[in-house]
Amino acid sequence: HILSSIPHFVFWKDKDSVYLGCNELFATAAGVANAAEIVGKTDYELAWKDQADWYRKCDRDVMESGEPLMGIEEPQTRSDGTETVILTSKVPLRDEGGGVCGILGIYTDITERKRTERLIQDMALFPTENPWPVFRIGADGTVMFANSASLALPESYGITEGNKVAEEWQELVRGALDSGTVMKTEIEQEDAVLSVQIVPIDGKNYVNFYGADITQIRVTQRESERVSRFLMNVLESLNHPFCVIDVNTYEVKLANSAAGEYSQGTKCHALTHGRNTPCSGEGHVCPMEEVKKTGKPVIAEHLHVDSNGESQHVEVHAYPLLDSDDGVSEIIHYSLDITDRKKSEAKLLRAVEQLSRFNRLAVGREMKMIELKEEINGLLEELGRRAKYEPTNCNQSGLVGKFLAETG
């Protein structure tokens, strides 16, 4: 009962390292059904057969010397295949005459403890292995620790163990300790930009500094800003409204000056139509909805309101922008003022209608003249005289076709 209740693995062997017994915890680790089944087996028959030679050597050392071996760290393969680390002690068993007749062993599983120790060791190495500056400064401005990467910082900073740092760094230390919050600063060197986090430690009278190279980030940001400025200059050179719209929220994400003033959250229908709801209805189809349905560019005619509140006929072009899943996430929306064109088209339509009316009158007059000429010719023939007018083969439908061709 005692062996079954202790949290240790216990076993005993004869002088040939053949098992004579064990507790249940050991039997489970060995992969046998119960403690009784261990009797008569050797280490070569158990889960840890790969470690059997080492275990039996330790057994021999104990039995040959008659002295115990205490605190042996050794590997062990369990019956479930897991690799563990155990701390084993072995003492000699003696017969009634005092001769060594076997060994008694006890071990405990220290796998987690060893894993924790390695983690602590690895973490302890972290500051020294870090390729970027890591240092600690006390409240009085003295450098308590600085890794080798810190030596690359300008000498004027004074980041050397035992030194007092420059006043600007002491101010950062005081600020972090007084506020109790993490602060940030940047160090611009000749060929690099470092971001430094200043971390006050609760209950401690010092501050840790952690540097990170952000040179490439800054280069990327500057390039992104340059591209953004270039893009905006291109958009501003357009004299017609241009904007990018989120298809899910109708929010204007980007727009040039010609599109009008907008702010975060401005909806496209508010910007272009001065209305609170999206475009809808026959003759006023929302181009964005059409693009979402088809995934293809759309052209539509709309009636917009300009900055003076005047109605403006525009030709709206909507082009899809796809996300990583090839779904439409935004659209490019630009509109061309076709007010003058629409006015010219209206004038042309009126002129054509007037010409058509005139042609209809002209056709009627021409037909009447033809009828009168034919009547005169007929009367002259009745009187036995020669016809005065040449006969015409033109009928009403022919004249209508002639005038329609002339009017386009």
Side-chain angles (χ1 to χ4, degrees):
H1 292 298
I2 294 175
L3 290 179
S4 297
S5 62
I6 62 174
H8 298 290
F9 302 78
V10 183
F11 60 93
W12 51 98
K13 303 178 182 178
D14 66 16
K15 61 181 179 181
D16 295 318
S17 289
V18 176
Y19 282 97
L20 298 174
C22 68
N23 67 353
E24 292 297 333
L25 196 58
F26 185 91
T28 300
V32 296
N34 52 61
E37 287 196 11
I38 202 74
V39 177
K41 295 185 182 296
T42 68
D43 291 305
Y44 292 114
E45 301 172 78
L46 302 177
W48 46 73
K49 58 186 177 183
D50 291 340
Q51 292 97 34
D53 287 343
W54 166 253
Y55 293 165
R56 291 168 68 87
K57 176 187 179 303
C58 292
D59 294 347
R60 287 195 301 272
D61 290 344
V62 171
M63 289 187 282
E64 289 174 1
S65 68
E67 299 293 332
L69 282 177
M70 309 298 290
I72 311 167
E73 281 192 19
E74 50 192 5
Q76 185 184 80
T77 303
R78 295 285 175 82
S79 59
D80 61 1
T82 58
E83 301 291 335
T84 62
V85 180
I86 59 176
L87 187 65
T88 307
S89 294
K90 294 180 178 181
V91 298
L93 288 176
R94 298 181 183 276
D95 56 25
E96 293 179 355
V100 175
C101 62
I103 61 112
L104 171 68
I106 182 171
Y107 70 81
T108 185
D109 186 344
I110 61 169
T111 306
E112 284 303 317
R113 191 183 85 185
K114 297 299 292 184
R115 185 178 293 120
T116 301
E117 288 176 356
R118 286 195 298 272
L119 179 61
I120 291 172
Q121 291 170 356
D122 290 344
M123 291 180 66
L125 288 174
F126 170 73
T128 56
E129 294 175 338
N130 197 314
W132 305 113
V134 177
F135 49 95
R136 175 176 293 170
I137 303 176
D140 63 352
T142 301
V143 178
M144 303 170 66
F145 167 83
N147 68 353
S148 57
S150 303
L151 300 177
L153 295 173
E155 189 176 342
S156 60
Y157 293 169
I159 312 296
T160 305
E161 287 188 28
N163 280 359
K164 283 217 170 186
V165 293
E167 179 58 31
E168 61 185 290
W169 289 92
Q170 293 190 41
E171 289 180 6
L172 291 172
V173 171
R174 288 192 292 269
L177 288 174
D178 290 344
S179 66
T181 59
V182 176
M183 301 170 61
K184 287 185 179 181
T185 189
E186 289 187 8
I187 301 174
E188 297 231 4
Q189 297 179 283
E190 185 175 341
D191 57 352
V193 181
L194 296 180
S195 173
V196 180
Q197 284 203 345
I198 307 158
V199 183
I201 307 302
D202 289 343
K204 303 295 183 180
N205 210 23
Y206 57 74
V207 173
N208 288 342
F209 289 74
Y210 302 96
D213 185 4
I214 59 170
T215 307
Q216 192 55 48
I217 294 175
R218 287 289 175 265
V219 170
T220 303
Q221 285 178 340
R222 285 193 286 268
E223 178 61 16
S224 177
E225 290 168 359
R226 186 193 69 79
V227 172
S228 294
R229 286 194 300 270
F230 173 77
L231 177 60
M232 284 308 302
N233 287 336
V234 171
L235 296 183
E236 288 300 323
S237 70
L238 303 176
N239 57 12
H240 56 265
F242 182 104
C243 56
V244 177
I245 303 169
D246 187 308
V247 299
N248 297 309
T249 64
Y250 296 90
E251 289 185 11
V252 177
K253 312 301 289 186
L254 176 70
N256 63 358
S257 299
E261 294 185 6
Y262 78 101
S263 58
Q264 184 175 1
T266 298
K267 308 293 186 181
C268 57
H269 39 269
L271 181 66
T272 59
H273 293 75
R275 56 189 289 176
N276 296 324
T277 56
C279 303
S280 62
E282 188 177 350
H284 217 65
V285 175
C286 176
M288 184 166 68
E289 293 299 328
E290 292 300 307
V291 171
K292 286 170 65 176
K293 289 177 185 176
T294 64
K296 297 179 181 180
V298 169
I299 300 175
E301 287 189 11
H302 272 196
L303 194 62
H304 284 186
V305 178
D306 63 20
S307 58
N308 298 318
E310 299 291 332
S311 294
Q312 181 185 49
H313 288 278
V314 297
E315 184 178 81
V316 178
H317 294 249
Y319 189 89
L321 295 177
L322 306 181
D323 57 24
S324 58
D325 297 323
D326 291 333
V328 180
S329 59
E330 297 168 322
I331 65 163
I332 292 174
H333 176 288
Y334 66 91
S335 52
L336 306 176
D337 186 354
I338 58 171
T339 304
D340 291 341
R341 191 185 82 187
K342 296 297 285 187
K343 289 179 179 178
S344 297
E345 288 175 350
K347 288 180 180 179
L348 176 62
L349 182 60
R350 287 194 298 271
V352 169
E353 289 176 348
Q354 289 176 355
L355 179 59
S356 178
R357 287 195 298 271
F358 172 78
N359 281 340
R360 285 195 295 271
L361 292 174
V363 167
R365 186 188 64 181
E366 188 72 16
M367 288 302 300
K368 188 64 177 177
M369 290 177 64
I370 290 172
E371 289 175 0
L372 290 172
K373 287 179 181 180
E374 288 178 348
E375 184 179 350
I376 291 171
N377 283 342
L379 292 171
L380 289 173
E381 286 180 5
E382 290 179 4
L383 295 172
R385 297 180 183 181
R386 185 170 58 86
K388 185 176 181 179
Y389 300 104
E390 290 293 327
T392 178
N393 296 323
C394 205
N395 55 29
Q396 185 172 358
S397 61
L399 286 174
V400 170
K402 173 186 174 183
F403 281 109
L404 286 177
E406 290 176 356
T407 57

